[in-house]
Amino acid sequence: MLRPDSSNTSDVIMPTSITTTTMNNTSTHLPVLNVSTLSMVNVTHISLNVTSFSVTSSEYNSSSGSSSNTSSEVPPPLLGEVKVSKCQKPWSYVPDETLPIMWILVYWSSQILTWLFLPFIQSYVCAGDFSIVGKVKRALLENAIYYGSYLFVLGILLVYIAISPSISLNMVQIKVLVITASNTWGLFLLILLLGYGLVEVPRRLWDKSDPQLTITRTYFALSKLSTEKQEAHENLEDLLEEVKRVSQKVRYNHPSRKYVNIIISKCSDGFQESLVHDGIDDFQEYRANNNEVPPENNLVRLHKQLLQALDTMRRTSVQYKILMNRAVHLENLLKNSVGVPDRTWKEEVPLVEQKENYFVRTFMSLRMKWKWYCQIQPWLRKIGAVCLAVLTVMVIWSECTFFNETPVLSLFAIFINLAKSNYDYIYIELASCTVIFYLCFCAYYTVFRIKFFNYYYIAGHHQTNESSLLFVGMMLCRLTAPLCLNFLGLIHLDTPLETNDGSRGVETSYTQIMGHLELITFISEGFNIYFPILVLILCIATYFEIGQRCLTMIGFQRFIDGNIDDLASDLISDGKQLVIREKRRIQRELNAIHRNEQINQITNGDYTPDVSKRQWKGKYMQKYETRNTDDQSTTSSTTSSSKILGGGGGNEKMEFFEDNSMDYNSLAPATDHHSRWSDSPGGGATSSSVPVISRPPRNLFDDV
C-alpha cells in the first residue's frame, strides 16, 4: 500500500473521497427526481381526469335520459334542422382508454419506490461502511424490522379476509387490500399534515407583512441557530480529535489503514496538512499484539458520525449566513418604514453579498424600491393571506361535510356540479387545479418544516442532506395517492354514478384503478369518511399554538407571539447583539474596500480628493493638502522636525524625511513652555536648549 505522506496524499486519499461522494449523489438524486416527478404527474393529471369524467358523465346522462323517453314524446327533427349538443369536448379532454394506463404506471411505480426501494437506498446512503457490499448488508439489516412490520400488517389483513365468509381471496382482492392499507396510512398522515398547514400558511404570510414581528422572530431564530452552529463546531472538533488519535494508533502497514485513509479524506485540507506537520504520518511498524487498534465496527461508526457532523456544520454555517443577511435587510426595511421622510430607500449597512431580485436591481429606482418594500409588498401579502384564509375555511367545511350527499354541503362539490351543468369545462379545470394545488402546498409545507433532531431536516439553498431528501421523496409518494382520493371525495367523485335502476354507472379512471375500498367495511364506511373531520380539531389546536406551548413547557423553546417569557426575551436580545456585531464587521469590510480603492487610485495618479474634511491624513493625503503651501514654511517645518528626531542638521536625514513627506506638524516643538508636559513646578521651561513637546506625536502610522 502506498504511504500517504506529504508528496502523495492527494494521489491516494482524494480519489476515494471523490468516488464515494459521486456515487452517493447519483444514488440519491435520481430516485428523488423520479418520485418528485411521479408525484407532480399525479397531482396535475387528477384535474384532467375530473374534466374528462365531466364530459363522459354529461354524455352518459343525456344518453340515459333519451333512452328512457318514448319515441312518441320526442318529435322528429324538421327537414334541414341540425341538432347541436351543448356538451362540447374541451381542449383538455383525454380519451377514456388513456388515463387508466397512465394511472397504473404512475401509481404502482410510486408505490414500489416509496415502500421498497427508497428505504433501502436511504439506509445505504447513510451507512458508514467502506465498501458497497458492506453498505448493502447494513441497509438490509436496518430495514429488516421495517419490512417485517409490513409483512405483519399484511398477514393480519389476509387472516381477516380468510375468516370473512363474504370475501373471496383472489389476486383482485389482494390488490384492493394492498391499496386500501396504503391509502389508509396516507390519509391518516395527510389529515395530520393538513391540520397544521391549512392554518400556518395564511398566518405566516400575514405575519410577514409586519416588519417588527418578522424581525423579532428572526432574532429568536438567529440566536438558536448560533447555538446550534456552535454545538456543531464543537462536535466536529471532538470527532477530528478522535480521527487524529485513530490515525496515530493505526499505522500505514496495518490492514485497517485503508479505512483510516478514507475517513481522513472526508476532512478538510487544513486538517490533513496538520496531520503531516504534526509528524503523525511518520512510518512506524505496528505490533501484531497491539490491542489499542480500534476494530472495523468502530471505524464504521466514526466514519458515519464524521459525515453527519460535517454535513451539520456546513448546513448551519450557510443557514446562519443567510439568516444574518435577512436580519440586516429587515432592519433596513424597518428603519425605512418609520424614519425616511423623503421616501427614498436607504441602507444603514449595505450587504456586501446581497443578491436582490433581477427586476428590483435593474428596473427599480431608490424611490420605487422604497414603495415596493414599504408599501406594495406588505399589502400584497395581506391580500394573499386573506384569500388563503378564505380558501382554508372552504377546505375545512368541505372536509367536515363531504360525506353528506343529499343535500350537497361540500362547497367544492356545489361549484363543480354547477359548472358541469353549464358545460363550463374551463372553470372545472381551473377550480380543480386551484383546490388540489392548495391542498398539496399545505401538506408539503408541513413536510418541509418537519425536523427530527437534525436527522430529518429540510434546509434551503441546497443544504439538505441525502437522508432528508429521500425522506421527503417517500412522504411525497405516500401522500399523493390519498390526497387525490380525498380531493375526489370533496367533489363527490370518489364513487361511481348510480343509474335509475340502482346499478353502477360511469366512474373516474382513478377510482377504477384504486378500487372502491369496500373490501374492509370499517375503513370504507367509517375511517375514510369520518376521520377527515379531525382536521377541524387540528386546525383549532394549530391556531392557538397548543403544540408550540407544549414543546416550550418540556424544554424545547419556541417563539410564541404574545407570550414571550424571560428565556425567549434573552434569546431575542442575543440575536439582536449578533446582528449588531455583524453590521460592524460589514462596515469594516466596506471601509477596507473603500481604502483599497482610494490607494489604488492614488498610486495610479487618478485621485484628487478634498482632504480638508478628512480625519485620516497619511503621507499621500498630506502631500495633496500641503501642495500649495509656501516652500519657506515647509523648509522651516522640516528643519525643526529633524532637530527633534536627533538630526544635527545632516543633509542625508533631511532628504530622507523630505522624500517620505511625513506629518511634521504633530512633531513641532512647543512654543508655550507653560504646558502640562513641563517638569518645572512653576510651569516654566526646564532648559532652554532642549525643546519641550506640547503633545505626543500623532499620525505616524496612518500609512501602515
Side-chain angles (χ1 to χ4, degrees):
M1 181 181 296
L2 293 176
R3 178 191 172 200
D5 54 14
S6 59
S7 60
N8 56 14
T9 301
S10 59
D11 297 335
V12 176
I13 296 179
M14 295 309 293
T16 305
S17 174
I18 294 173
T19 304
T20 306
T21 304
T22 305
M23 186 179 301
N24 288 340
N25 292 336
T26 304
S27 61
T28 303
H29 295 163
L30 186 59
V32 172
L33 179 61
N34 289 335
V35 296
S36 302
T37 304
L38 292 175
S39 301
M40 291 300 103
V41 167
N42 267 330
V43 172
T44 53
H45 282 68
I46 194 66
S47 58
L48 298 177
N49 197 349
V50 172
T51 305
S52 302
F53 174 76
S54 300
V55 176
T56 305
S57 62
S58 299
E59 294 177 349
Y60 177 80
N61 292 332
S62 61
S63 61
S64 62
S66 61
S67 61
S68 62
N69 297 329
T70 59
S71 58
S72 60
E73 295 176 353
V74 180
L78 300 177
L79 184 62
E81 181 182 359
V82 180
K83 185 177 180 180
V84 180
S85 176
K86 295 182 180 180
C87 181
Q88 301 292 332
K89 292 183 179 180
W91 63 271
S92 59
Y93 176 76
V94 180
D96 296 337
E97 64 274 6
T98 303
L99 282 175
I101 299 175
M102 190 273 299
W103 285 126
I104 291 174
L105 294 176
V106 172
Y107 178 77
W108 288 110
S109 299
S110 60
Q111 293 301 309
I112 292 174
L113 280 173
T114 187
W115 294 107
L116 296 178
F117 288 111
L118 288 185
F120 173 79
I121 296 174
Q122 185 181 26
S123 300
Y124 176 86
V125 171
C126 297
D129 295 81
F130 304 101
S131 63
I132 297 178
V133 177
K135 289 186 176 182
V136 170
K137 291 181 179 179
R138 184 79 58 178
L140 291 176
L141 290 175
E142 290 181 356
N143 286 275
I145 301 176
Y146 189 75
Y147 296 129
S149 62
Y150 294 162
L151 296 176
F152 179 74
V153 174
L154 182 61
I156 293 176
L157 295 178
L158 290 177
V159 170
Y160 175 81
I161 295 176
I163 63 177
S164 299
S166 60
I167 302 176
S168 60
L169 188 61
N170 52 32
M171 291 303 299
V172 177
Q173 301 293 344
I174 292 177
K175 184 195 75 170
V176 176
L177 178 65
V178 173
I179 293 175
T180 302
S182 176
N183 288 340
T184 302
W185 166 252
L187 182 62
F188 174 78
L189 194 61
L190 175 65
I191 296 302
L192 296 180
L193 298 177
L194 285 178
Y196 178 82
L198 287 173
V199 176
E200 196 65 22
V201 168
R203 180 166 61 183
R204 186 56 62 92
L205 186 60
W206 178 273
D207 291 342
K208 284 186 177 181
S209 63
D210 186 2
Q212 184 62 48
L213 179 61
T214 307
I215 190 63
T216 305
R217 182 180 279 111
T218 306
Y219 287 150
F220 182 85
L222 191 61
S223 178
K224 295 189 65 177
L225 187 58
S226 176
T227 304
E228 184 180 354
K229 177 186 173 184
Q230 185 65 27
E231 292 177 354
H233 179 73
E234 294 175 357
N235 185 27
L236 181 60
E237 290 293 331
D238 295 338
L239 289 174
L240 292 179
E241 290 295 330
E242 181 67 22
V243 172
K244 185 178 293 186
R245 287 193 294 269
V246 170
S247 180
Q248 291 176 349
K249 295 177 181 179
V250 183
R251 289 300 171 178
Y252 299 107
N253 54 349
H254 194 278
S256 299
R257 183 63 196 185
K258 56 183 179 180
Y259 304 140
V260 178
N261 292 340
I262 295 176
I263 296 175
I264 295 176
S265 66
K266 303 300 175 61
C267 303
S268 61
D269 296 337
F271 178 77
Q272 298 181 29
E273 293 177 359
S274 67
L275 296 180
V276 177
H277 294 161
D278 293 342
I280 296 178
D281 67 333
D282 291 339
F283 181 81
Q284 295 180 6
E285 293 287 345
Y286 82 98
R287 297 179 181 178
N289 57 354
N290 191 0
N291 296 326
E292 294 182 356
V293 176
E296 184 179 351
N297 290 332
N298 291 352
L299 295 179
V300 170
R301 178 185 54 81
L302 179 61
H303 186 208
K304 183 177 181 180
Q305 291 177 352
L306 181 63
L307 292 178
Q308 293 178 355
L310 289 172
D311 178 75
T312 305
M313 184 62 194
R314 180 177 61 253
R315 174 182 57 80
T316 52
S317 300
V318 174
Q319 284 186 321
Y320 181 82
K321 187 176 181 179
I322 295 172
L323 192 60
M324 181 63 72
N325 292 339
R326 187 183 305 169
V328 175
H329 172 72
L330 288 173
E331 284 193 352
N332 291 332
L333 175 61
L334 188 61
K335 292 181 179 180
N336 278 274
S337 301
V338 297
V340 181
D342 56 350
R343 296 188 175 185
T344 303
W345 181 260
K346 298 178 181 178
E347 294 182 350
E348 180 185 7
V349 178
L351 297 178
V352 179
E353 301 180 358
Q354 184 179 8
K355 296 181 180 180
E356 292 183 342
N357 188 8
Y358 176 79
F359 179 79
V360 175
R361 185 176 64 254
T362 306
F363 299 102
M364 283 191 179
S365 61
L366 294 179
R367 186 178 294 274
M368 189 62 190
K369 191 175 179 181
W370 183 90
K371 290 183 179 179
W372 168 253
Y373 283 121
C374 300
Q375 291 184 345
I376 301 177
Q377 195 177 64
W379 278 106
L380 288 179
R381 286 174 174 171
K382 290 181 179 179
I383 295 173
V386 171
C387 295
L388 294 181
V390 173
L391 197 56
T392 294
V393 173
M394 295 172 62
V395 170
I396 295 174
W397 173 263
S398 300
E399 290 282 359
C400 296
T401 59
F402 79 93
F403 59 88
N404 192 4
E405 297 183 358
T406 306
V408 178
L409 299 179
S410 176
L411 298 177
F412 300 128
I414 294 174
F415 297 154
I416 295 298
N417 292 335
L418 183 62
K420 185 170 62 174
S421 62
N422 295 329
Y423 304 100
D424 193 354
Y425 299 114
I426 296 179
Y427 174 80
I428 294 176
E429 186 77 21
L430 293 177
S432 301
C433 290
T434 302
V435 177
I436 191 66
F437 276 109
Y438 184 66
L439 291 175
C440 289
F441 185 81
C442 293
Y444 297 163
Y445 175 82
T446 310
V447 172
F448 293 152
R449 291 182 62 85
I450 290 178
K451 181 179 179 181
F452 295 124
F453 304 103
N454 288 329
Y455 192 68
Y456 294 130
Y457 182 58
I458 308 302
H461 302 276
H462 311 285
Q463 298 304 314
T464 305
N465 56 11
E466 294 88 352
S467 177
S468 299
L469 283 176
L470 291 170
F471 171 75
V472 171
M474 290 188 292
M475 295 294 288
L476 293 182
C477 280
R478 295 175 187 179
L479 288 175
T480 304
L483 184 65
C484 295
L485 196 61
N486 180 257
F487 168 70
L488 293 177
L490 295 180
I491 59 178
H492 292 175
L493 293 182
D494 56 336
T495 56
L497 297 178
E498 294 184 358
T499 58
N500 296 329
D501 56 357
S503 61
R504 292 182 181 272
V506 294
E507 58 181 338
T508 61
S509 301
Y510 192 78
T511 54
Q512 291 178 9
I513 304 303
M514 294 291 104
H516 306 294
L517 307 181
E518 297 176 353
L519 191 61
I520 304 177
T521 55
F522 75 90
I523 292 179
S524 61
E525 298 179 1
F527 183 83
N528 290 340
I529 294 177
Y530 298 104
F531 183 74
I533 302 177
L534 183 64
V535 73
L536 176 61
I537 301 175
L538 295 175
C539 288
I540 294 175
T542 305
Y543 179 79
F544 292 103
E545 297 181 338
I546 296 177
Q548 305 285 351
R549 298 177 191 273
C550 294
L551 290 175
T552 303
M553 290 176 61
I554 62 178
F556 297 95
Q557 189 64 35
R558 311 293 295 177
F559 181 84
I560 302 175
D561 186 24
N563 188 16
I564 300 177
D565 54 3
D566 295 336
L567 183 57
S569 179
D570 293 339
L571 291 175
I572 293 172
S573 301
D574 293 341
K576 188 179 298 184
Q577 293 299 323
L578 291 174
V579 174
I580 292 175
R581 288 199 293 267
E582 179 68 16
K583 289 165 67 175
R584 291 174 182 172
R585 186 191 65 81
I586 295 174
Q587 191 63 49
R588 287 195 300 268
E589 290 184 0
L590 293 176
N591 293 338
I593 294 173
H594 185 63
R595 274 200 307 271
N596 292 334
E597 292 178 354
Q598 288 185 350
I599 290 174
N600 293 333
Q601 292 178 359
I602 291 172
T603 305
N604 298 330
D606 300 332
Y607 185 73
T608 56
D610 182 12
V611 298
S612 60
K613 298 181 180 180
R614 295 183 60 90
Q615 296 180 358
W616 178 72
K617 298 179 182 180
K619 56 183 181 180
Y620 294 105
M621 296 301 175
Q622 291 292 333
K623 180 178 67 176
Y624 286 104
E625 188 177 20
T626 60
R627 177 181 294 177
N628 298 324
T629 56
D630 187 49
D631 295 337
Q632 184 177 359
S633 61
T634 305
T635 305
S636 176
S637 176
T638 305
T639 304
S640 60
S641 301
S642 62
K643 290 181 181 181
I644 294 175
L645 295 175
N651 294 330
E652 296 179 356
K653 294 182 178 181
M654 291 177 61
E655 292 177 357
F656 175 79
F657 288 128
E658 287 175 359
D659 292 338
N660 283 275
S661 302
M662 296 290 292
D663 185 10
Y664 306 115
N665 295 328
S666 62
L667 304 177
T671 56
D672 184 11
H673 300 291
H674 298 280
S675 64
R676 59 185 179 92
W677 292 85
S678 176
D679 294 337
S680 175
T686 57
S687 175
S688 59
S689 61
V690 180
V692 180
I693 301 177
S694 60
R695 59 184 181 275
R698 295 181 301 172
N699 302 331
L700 284 175
F701 304 98
D702 286 346
D703 298 333
V704 178

